Amino acid sequence: MNASNQNTKGRPLCFGNWKCNGSIAALRQWAADFDPGGAQAAVCVPYPYLSLAVQLLDKKAAVGCQDISLHAGGAHTGEVSAAMAADCGAQFTLVGHSECRQAGQDDKAVAGRIAQAVGEALIPVLCVGETLEQREAGKLEEVLADQLGAAAAELRQSRSPIVAYEPVWAIGTGRAASADDAQKAVGLVKGILKRTFVDYIPVLYGGSVKAANAAEYMAVDEIDGLLVGGASLKADEFSAICAAS
């Protein structure tokens, strides 16, 4: 996967996040049915399916995990290190997804996870975004600047970081942001990144993305790709999203 360090918008990036869903049978069928089209496709599967997904998807899609441990190893029951994920063939990891932040990860913990990913040559996909309360209070830019700023030092150590803007109020709610909303927010993200980084960093949009609205989001110049949740569980739907990109 070569997603960044480019000067202009390249092939669209389509990332699927299966969250806590799936089975071996479902993965086998999904891999057989999925067609990435012209997009650079990637899928974040639950930990137990990493190696099998790498084997089944081969050149169809990159495979990554949905989070990694803040620790490199040791007495941390139930956690999976970046080295373990890489050993299973993962190429990237989501970091700071809103659901993980809501479960207790703060900006310091997110930055530490990016450092772990970089240390094992995993591409970090940093998720940033505001809650409905923060949005209504007019704090969108402040929230984005804080989340990106807290991870800036660690992102600079990665050769190919990616950022995903995901309005928390539009994740799993069926309430999608409008293309104008997405354009404004992603534009803010890119403005902040340009002040902090020399190289171009791709920015994805995520939040109730479906085949029916994927083309609308991808028509926005600022958006380099999509982070897809529930719709990525259906191979035909995710294929259609990739085609629309």
Side-chain angles (χ1 to χ4, degrees):
M1 174 180 289
N2 184 13
S4 66
N5 295 325
Q6 50 191 330
N7 296 319
T8 59
K9 186 172 180 176
R11 289 171 61 202
L13 303 167
C14 288
F15 283 64
N17 178 14
W18 282 22
K19 305 188 180 184
C20 189
N21 296 291
S23 66
I24 290 176
L27 174 58
R28 290 187 183 279
Q29 189 62 58
W30 193 96
D33 295 342
F34 175 61
D35 181 359
Q40 294 187 70
V43 60
C44 315
V45 298
Y47 293 126
Y49 308 136
L50 276 174
S51 293
L52 181 60
V54 170
Q55 174 187 337
L56 293 175
L57 289 170
D58 193 24
K59 295 180 175 61
K60 278 190 175 182
V63 175
C65 45
Q66 300 164 17
D67 195 15
I68 53 172
S69 177
L70 183 58
H71 309 283
H76 304 287
T77 301
E79 299 199 23
V80 175
S81 71
M84 293 172 183
D87 197 31
C88 290
Q91 296 182 41
F92 68 94
T93 181
L94 300 182
V95 185
H97 189 279
S98 64
E99 292 164 358
C100 296
R101 291 181 188 267
Q102 289 171 342
Q105 286 184 18
D106 59 14
D107 286 337
K108 182 177 180 180
V110 171
R113 283 168 166 79
I114 295 174
Q116 290 293 326
V118 171
E120 296 298 334
L122 295 178
I123 295 172
V125 182
L126 171 64
C127 301
V128 299
E130 82 286 9
T131 64
L132 182 60
E133 292 75 18
Q134 290 168 332
R135 182 179 185 83
E136 292 179 341
K139 295 183 176 181
L140 172 60
E141 185 169 5
E142 177 184 341
V143 169
L144 296 177
D146 286 347
Q147 291 176 341
L148 290 167
E154 288 73 24
L155 286 176
R156 287 192 193 97
Q157 301 304 312
S158 174
R159 295 182 179 179
S160 52
I162 298 171
V163 171
Y165 166 69
E166 44 168 22
V168 180
W169 48 271
I171 298 171
T173 65
R175 178 182 175 183
S178 69
D180 288 342
D181 290 335
Q183 181 176 30
K184 177 183 177 181
V186 173
L188 287 173
V189 170
K190 288 201 165 182
I192 295 166
L193 291 173
K194 285 178 182 177
R195 295 194 295 269
T196 310
F197 296 91
V198 175
D199 291 333
Y200 170 84
I201 296 178
V203 179
L204 315 178
Y205 169 76
S208 295
V209 175
K210 303 175 182 177
N213 60 22
E216 182 180 3
Y217 290 126
M218 286 306 300
V220 176
D221 287 341
E222 287 85 350
I223 295 176
D224 300 300
L226 302 169
L227 176 58
V228 186
S232 69
L233 288 165
K234 300 178 180 179
D236 57 346
E237 177 92 358
F238 195 50
S239 297
I241 291 171
C242 289
S245 302

